[in-house]
Amino acid sequence: MTAIERSRTVAVVGAGTMGQGIAQVALLAGHRVLIYDINAALAAGGVGIVQDRVERMAAKGRLDRVEAEDAIARIDAASDLADLAGAALVIEAVVEDTAVKRALFEALEAVVPSDALLATNTSSLSVTELAAGLAHPGRFLGLHFFNPAPLLPLVEVVSGFATDPAAAELAYRTVLGWGKTPVRCADTPGFIVNRIARPFYAEAFAVHEERGADPATIDAVLRECGGFKMGPFQLTDLIGQDVNEAVTRSVWESFFRSPKFTPSLAQRRLVQSGRLGRKSGHGWFPYGPDAEALAPHTAAPEEAPDKVTVVGDLGPAAGLVELLEEAGIAITATEHGGPYIQLPGDGQLVLADGKTSIEFADVVYFDLALDYRGATRIALSAGEDTSERTLAEAIGLFQKLGKQVSVIGDVPGMIVARTVAMLIDLTADAVARGVATAEDIDTAMRLGVNYPLGPAEWHDRLGRDWAYDLLHNLDERCPGGRYAPSLALFKLGYVEGEEGGEDEAGGAEETA
């Protein structure tokens, strides 16, 4: 199937920022574009804004002058919905209100030709519900662009319950031809990005609520250890706490208040207090000319041990062995037991596994890293019974490797590890339910929210049982269903594993 021909008209309803951006994308792809808004002045203004952008692109040499002049001549404002009668595709970008959108599409259906596609740019409403009143719901679908639409490549192509597969494929091919990266998605709360991304915010907020660490430290660990471009506290301040919480609450309600998506009470208090982020001058962090940036907790210098014993296979943290050798720390290795690093004072350094330090005799946990060589910060956690010597040796060891160290509370799963495990679990569940393919989810999370790896890529890197084991341990310590591994994740381990039963789980020696 081919894309919609460039000679056909594309109409955008709604002249706000998103509508303007979508119109610009279609225009520069070669279509004639009409912008309609119930406020005629806004429609005319939207056309002018797009034309000015095109003119600036030509002035900066980013667009050929002849192409720019041709594009400027191909966009116009529609004064009435009837003016959209020749459109092959109409994309709606109006207020997020089900009643308003349904009324609009019922009116459009009486205007556009029988072969025209009708699309909503909604980010939170059900595509199936929006199509419920249409006489021909098969041609209706979601095209969720991300803001700013001209710059961000991702588009979620959402099929409602009644969407004709041919219509979805035509939309997919058209968006692909516009130079975007489309991903296919079934109509599910949050689609791909807003569904899968919930743990990135929720786990950070939970660690904060558990008094495990302050927002600046959690953000720093996720950036400098986990490889995420921006921490969740900084990001939600940028998005707006009210906006982010509304999406979280919408997904939670749509999944019948599943504990997997429970909103944060701490974030609710921010919204109630009017601390909405940058736009209000204060959110998790203060803003303004006199605001002081909050620094993450960073441990004071400690002396590094001159030798350690590596017990068993460190799995995702195996790269630490080479770094220790390069730092001049003598290593004795033993294959039996573990996995952990035995410190000179007989304490153990263990990769986060969903358990807590207090359960063991003398243990310090360290967090998962995207890349231990490239990480500039490592989080450590210790229990009440962990000796001062063991914690000092653990801090000194990572400082010897050139890392800043943040010591957090005795939080099961720590920060990066529990976040990644939850992302992997939600992805496995979504794939099993036919929401999207693992490949499309990875693409969506990399392009839509700038994750360093897609969740399925994390899973492949960490091993078939890593996320399941960590979540199983977390669920035992934090019961209620939030951390219960999905059936899909459980099955994934068997599908990918060798025949002959489960692997034995190693770890630190428990306190008698």
Side-chain angles (χ1 to χ4, degrees):
M1 179 176 290
T2 58
I4 293 173
E5 295 87 348
R6 294 293 198 275
S7 59
R8 302 289 301 275
T9 298
V10 172
V12 178
V13 179
T17 301
M18 184 58 77
Q20 296 165 15
I22 295 171
Q24 180 178 330
V25 172
L27 182 68
L28 294 181
H31 294 276
R32 176 175 180 253
V33 173
L34 293 175
I35 296 180
Y36 172 79
D37 196 286
I38 194 169
N39 185 326
L42 288 180
V47 168
I49 289 172
V50 174
Q51 290 175 326
D52 287 345
R53 289 177 184 167
V54 172
E55 175 62 36
R56 288 198 300 272
M57 291 175 68
K60 294 178 180 180
R62 294 165 52 196
L63 187 65
D64 179 79
R65 171 58 63 180
V66 174
E67 292 178 359
E69 292 176 355
D70 178 59
I72 288 171
R74 280 188 282 105
I75 186 170
D76 203 354
S79 58
D80 191 275
L81 275 184
D83 295 340
L84 311 185
L89 169 63
V90 181
I91 304 174
E92 162 274 317
V94 302
V95 62
E96 286 285 89
D97 183 286
T98 298
V100 171
K101 292 179 187 287
R102 287 184 63 170
L104 169 63
F105 283 112
E106 288 173 16
L108 281 168
E109 195 173 37
V111 171
V112 299
S114 59
D115 65 341
L117 295 182
L118 298 178
T120 174
N121 184 58
T122 184
S123 61
S124 60
L125 302 178
S126 167
V127 171
T128 299
E129 184 178 3
L130 293 179
L134 299 180
H136 304 289
R139 62 174 171 172
F140 185 84
L141 71 154
L143 286 178
H144 180 213
F145 289 76
F146 288 74
N147 194 29
L151 298 180
L152 296 185
L154 184 69
V155 179
E156 293 175 321
V157 181
V158 186
S159 292
F161 184 79
T163 302
D164 188 324
E169 185 65 18
L170 178 60
Y172 181 95
R173 295 291 177 185
T174 299
V175 171
L176 183 66
W178 290 357
K180 295 299 182 182
T181 303
V183 290
R184 298 177 175 89
C185 176
D187 183 23
T188 185
F191 308 142
I192 295 176
V193 172
N194 281 330
R195 172 177 176 159
I196 303 300
R198 294 348 294 164
F200 179 68
Y201 311 106
E203 295 313 308
F205 298 163
V207 171
H208 174 54
E209 290 174 345
E210 294 163 18
R211 302 179 68 84
D214 61 273
T217 298
I218 296 170
D219 272 7
V221 170
L222 282 163
R223 287 194 313 268
E224 300 169 36
C225 183
F228 293 91
K229 300 298 182 184
M230 190 180 292
F233 294 92
Q234 181 187 9
L235 180 56
T236 53
D237 268 358
L238 180 62
I239 295 170
Q241 298 302 329
D242 52 340
V243 174
N244 181 260
E245 197 225 14
V247 173
T248 299
R249 190 166 293 275
S250 173
V251 172
W252 177 58
E253 294 283 2
S254 297
F255 278 106
F256 308 104
R257 301 195 172 190
S258 165
K260 294 280 188 181
F261 302 100
T262 301
S264 162
L265 179 59
Q267 188 180 38
R268 175 96 288 256
R269 292 291 182 257
L270 275 185
V271 174
Q272 290 173 333
S273 68
R275 292 189 169 190
L276 306 181
R278 287 184 175 274
K279 63 186 178 184
S280 70
H282 205 301
W284 297 109
F285 306 114
Y287 298 93
D290 299 325
E292 293 185 12
L294 301 180
H297 167 77
T298 301
E302 297 284 358
E303 186 175 348
D306 55 8
K307 61 181 179 180
V308 297
T309 299
V310 175
V311 181
D313 182 356
L314 297 182
L320 283 175
V321 175
E322 184 176 355
L323 297 181
L324 293 170
E325 292 174 338
E326 291 174 1
I329 298 174
I331 297 175
T332 301
T334 176
E335 297 180 358
H336 303 292
Y340 55 82
I341 297 173
Q342 185 80 47
L343 298 168
D346 291 334
Q348 297 169 1
L349 189 55
V350 183
L351 176 63
D353 59 5
K355 299 178 183 179
T356 57
S357 294
I358 201 170
E359 302 170 48
F360 306 100
D362 195 12
V363 163
V364 171
Y365 274 106
F366 65 97
D367 211 346
L368 177 71
L370 172 68
D371 170 22
Y372 283 101
R373 181 176 293 277
T376 57
R377 182 177 299 272
I378 296 293
L380 303 179
S381 69
E384 296 177 5
D385 296 331
T386 304
S387 70
E388 292 183 5
R389 176 177 177 179
T390 294
L391 180 57
E393 287 177 344
I395 292 171
L397 183 144
F398 280 106
Q399 290 174 338
K400 181 75 171 180
L401 301 184
K403 319 298 182 186
Q404 291 186 308
V405 176
S406 293
V407 179
I408 69 171
D410 191 11
V411 178
M414 301 192 69
I415 299 172
V416 180
R418 70 195 279 180
T419 299
V420 169
M422 286 291 283
L423 292 171
I424 290 171
D425 184 57
L426 289 192
T427 295
D429 183 64
V431 172
R433 295 177 185 274
V435 172
T437 65
E439 292 76 15
D440 274 356
I441 292 175
D442 277 359
T443 297
M445 302 316 289
R446 287 196 313 271
L447 298 183
V449 278
N450 267 325
Y451 284 6
L453 292 176
E457 291 175 306
W458 271 112
H459 174 76
D460 291 343
R461 174 184 288 199
L462 296 170
R464 64 186 180 92
D465 292 328
W466 180 87
Y468 179 87
D469 289 344
L470 187 142
L471 291 176
H472 178 71
N473 290 334
L474 255 172
D475 184 49
E476 287 186 340
R477 287 147 186 82
C478 306
R482 179 185 183 115
Y483 300 109
S486 66
L487 177 61
L489 187 60
F490 176 77
K491 289 181 175 179
L492 199 58
Y494 279 92
V495 169
E496 296 178 351
E498 298 178 356
E499 295 183 1
E502 301 180 19
D503 293 338
E504 293 184 3
E509 297 175 3
E510 295 195 20
T511 306

